Amino acid sequence: MNKLVVLSVLTVLFFSSCGSYVDNGGAKAMRISGILSVQPSNDPNPGTHLLSGDDLKVYPVSSILVKLSDPKYLGNKVELIGSFDPSTNLFSVSGISVLEELKDLDSELNEAVLVEYKNSDFGFQTKYYDNFTVLEEENKVIFSSPNYETDKGEVFDKVEFAQFQFSYDSSVFDAEQNDSPLKNYLATNFPEISNFDNFATKIGPDLLDSVRLENEFGGDDLFLYRNGLIYRISFIPSDALNIDAENKRIFEEMVNNFTFIGFTVEESYSDPSVATGENEDVLSNENIQENQSNSTGILSLDYNNSDFAGFESKSFGFKSVYPKQWYYEGINSGEPGVNYSYVFADNDTPSMDPLYSLSVVSSMPNMSFKDVQVNGVALKTSRTDDEFYAYIEISGKKFLCKGSLNEETNILATILNVSLL
């Protein structure tokens, strides 16, 4: 009988008012109520979800017994039964009940239809639910969720696709460090973050390289680089402490469907996917024409500057161009006599499989060169069975551009545009 009395007392204590508990070896049995949401991916707390409690506290929660992500719980006011461990700051849920339905998530989702969004002015496509409102601005596209009423009035979440120009600045990295345009942008704009590899991820069906960071609104920002442009995909919640799980899921679905596409004809940029062989390069070796007086080594290169993007190396004090539909990275190759190299390719990992490179060298390579003039610029060129080389010296600085024979036009266009800052 004494055991039954003790159990009855514990039961009364356990199921009493919100926040009451009994000591259980450090973990405290509790029942708490509030609004349940999915925990942001960058939240440093343990657990999988958050409860914005009636006591104005936010509790990290998790459960192996209850499916907390069930739409009938998320975004609604619920009561959780479980235990709180102060040593881990985690509430383990063993039971849940809905106190108040704040949103009818199921009916909203059933009424919405997943549709394709394609924008060749911005050069991307994705999918979204047609109950979202789309607003296209000069440098961004905003998808706004359906409005809903809260005690703070009418609110909505946003998914934003922004695009802006980026000028590469190699001075933010030492020459010995591996560099890339995306890391360069992030190091320039987020100097407080020391290792972006910890935040690296791949998105979309093409597994595009990106970095995910938490933004000032309590949501996520994803950054991608493409041909002199930075793309930022953002989830901007209306309430950082009460993330709408369904809208966050839709954001992730839009990210998973994100791909780059070709730009409109009026734009000077090209789709990197066409550089893999679906279309031929705009430039070809047929653009190189040698004068009738072949022995003079006078060449003319016919190419369109609009097909190339510029980049600068402030560390080494020069600038040049590369094919606009391509990617580039700065690397320390370790080759004798090479101070630093920039490698170029038609994929987003040029350091893994470069098609040609532009290097700052300490001396001219020990090989047979021919003195030529290309478009009035004095160069030295050489050709082996596999590679084409172009060398130039400007005010004491020495540059070597080399790559496969198929890249002769691009190599010459790059070396011809080398100039000192």
Side-chain angles (χ1 to χ4, degrees):
M1 294 298 292
N2 289 338
K3 290 184 179 180
L4 290 176
V5 172
V6 171
L7 287 175
S8 298
V9 171
L10 287 176
T11 303
V12 171
L13 286 172
F14 187 84
F15 291 101
S16 61
S17 62
C18 174
S20 63
Y21 62 88
V22 294
D23 198 336
N24 185 22
K28 301 174 180 179
M30 301 175 63
R31 56 191 303 167
I32 56 176
S33 60
I35 299 175
L36 184 67
S37 62
V38 174
Q39 193 176 58
S41 59
N42 292 329
D43 193 314
N45 291 305
T48 59
H49 293 69
L50 296 174
L51 186 83
S52 300
D54 294 338
D55 55 3
L56 302 182
K57 295 181 180 179
V58 177
Y59 296 88
V61 301
S62 68
S63 180
I64 60 175
L65 302 175
V66 177
K67 184 181 177 182
L68 296 176
S69 292
D70 193 312
K72 66 184 178 183
Y73 302 137
L74 290 174
N76 289 328
K77 185 174 182 180
V78 298
E79 183 177 66
L80 303 181
I81 299 173
S83 59
F84 178 73
D85 188 344
S87 65
T88 60
N89 193 36
L90 180 65
F91 187 91
S92 298
V93 180
S94 57
I96 185 173
S97 60
V98 177
L99 299 178
E100 182 181 357
E101 291 188 1
L102 302 178
K103 288 184 62 181
D104 189 353
L105 297 177
D106 287 329
S107 63
E108 285 189 10
L109 183 60
N110 291 335
E111 293 173 1
V113 177
L114 192 65
V115 296
E116 185 179 81
Y117 176 84
K118 182 181 294 187
N119 190 319
S120 58
D121 289 328
F122 286 82
F124 78 90
Q125 70 179 25
T126 186
K127 293 182 180 180
Y128 74 104
Y129 286 97
D130 61 359
N131 60 348
F132 275 57
T133 302
V134 183
L135 174 64
E136 296 177 346
E137 298 184 354
E138 182 178 358
N139 295 315
K140 65 180 67 173
V141 182
I142 302 171
F143 297 82
S144 298
S145 70
N147 296 351
Y148 61 93
E149 292 288 341
T150 69
D151 55 0
K152 298 180 181 179
E154 194 175 56
V155 298
F156 56 89
D157 299 332
K158 294 189 294 185
V159 178
E160 181 179 285
F161 293 78
Q163 176 199 89
F164 37 90
Q165 300 268 345
F166 170 63
S167 297
Y168 180 85
D169 181 4
S170 63
S171 65
V172 302
F173 282 103
D174 294 333
E176 288 74 19
Q177 290 182 288
N178 286 341
D179 194 1
S180 70
L182 179 58
K183 289 174 64 176
N184 194 280
Y185 167 82
L186 294 167
T188 302
N189 292 274
F190 300 91
E192 70 278 8
I193 300 178
S194 59
N195 189 354
F196 290 100
D197 292 337
N198 294 338
F199 304 91
T201 185
K202 293 183 180 293
I203 67 168
D206 297 326
L207 298 178
L208 301 169
D209 285 327
S210 66
V211 168
R212 182 188 289 257
L213 302 175
E214 184 176 0
N215 59 37
E216 59 182 313
F217 307 102
D220 289 348
D221 285 338
L222 285 154
F223 295 91
L224 302 92
Y225 173 82
R226 181 196 189 192
N227 307 326
L229 293 172
I230 291 293
Y231 286 76
R232 185 187 65 216
I233 310 174
S234 303
F235 176 62
I236 305 175
S238 58
D239 185 350
L241 298 179
N242 183 25
I243 303 294
D244 185 294
E246 183 60 21
N247 288 338
K248 180 67 186 301
R249 186 196 67 78
I250 290 174
F251 162 73
E252 299 294 348
E253 191 168 357
M254 295 175 74
V255 168
N256 290 336
N257 283 285
F258 179 88
T259 59
F260 287 132
I261 62 173
F263 289 87
T264 49
V265 175
E266 290 77 15
E267 295 287 340
S268 59
Y269 301 101
S270 303
D271 181 6
S273 65
V274 304
T276 60
E278 296 175 14
N279 287 342
E280 295 182 0
D281 290 338
V282 175
L283 302 178
S284 69
N285 289 342
E286 295 177 357
N287 296 90
I288 306 172
Q289 298 179 347
E290 191 163 357
N291 258 351
Q292 294 179 351
S293 179
N294 186 42
S295 60
T296 63
I298 298 176
L299 306 175
S300 63
L301 178 67
D302 183 20
Y303 70 95
N304 189 342
N305 277 325
S306 66
D307 295 319
F308 288 81
F311 75 98
E312 295 183 355
S313 173
K314 292 185 179 179
S315 294
F316 296 97
F318 77 93
K319 62 182 179 180
S320 188
V321 301
Y322 70 104
K324 190 168 287 183
Q325 70 269 32
W326 286 20
Y327 298 82
Y328 72 97
E329 290 184 57
I331 64 169
N332 183 5
S333 66
E335 296 181 53
V338 176
N339 297 329
Y340 200 66
S341 297
Y342 294 89
V343 292
F344 310 93
D346 55 7
N347 58 69
D348 58 3
T349 55
S351 61
M352 302 295 293
D353 188 23
L355 294 179
Y356 76 98
S357 64
L358 174 63
S359 301
V360 181
V361 296
S362 56
S363 61
M364 186 173 67
N366 185 20
M367 59 189 305
S368 177
F369 279 95
K370 175 183 178 182
D371 289 318
V372 299
Q373 281 193 4
V374 183
N375 296 359
V377 178
L379 304 173
K380 295 180 182 294
T381 62
S382 183
R383 183 181 283 102
T384 66
D385 292 339
D386 302 316
E387 290 188 303
F388 177 76
Y389 298 79
Y391 172 87
I392 192 172
E393 185 172 341
I394 305 174
S395 299
K397 291 190 174 183
K398 303 172 180 64
F399 302 90
L400 177 68
C401 204
K402 68 176 183 177
S404 69
L405 296 176
N406 292 333
E407 303 306 328
E408 182 173 344
T409 299
N410 289 332
I411 290 171
L412 287 173
T414 295
I415 202 79
L416 285 173
N417 282 278
V418 172
S419 62
L420 304 185
L421 298 176

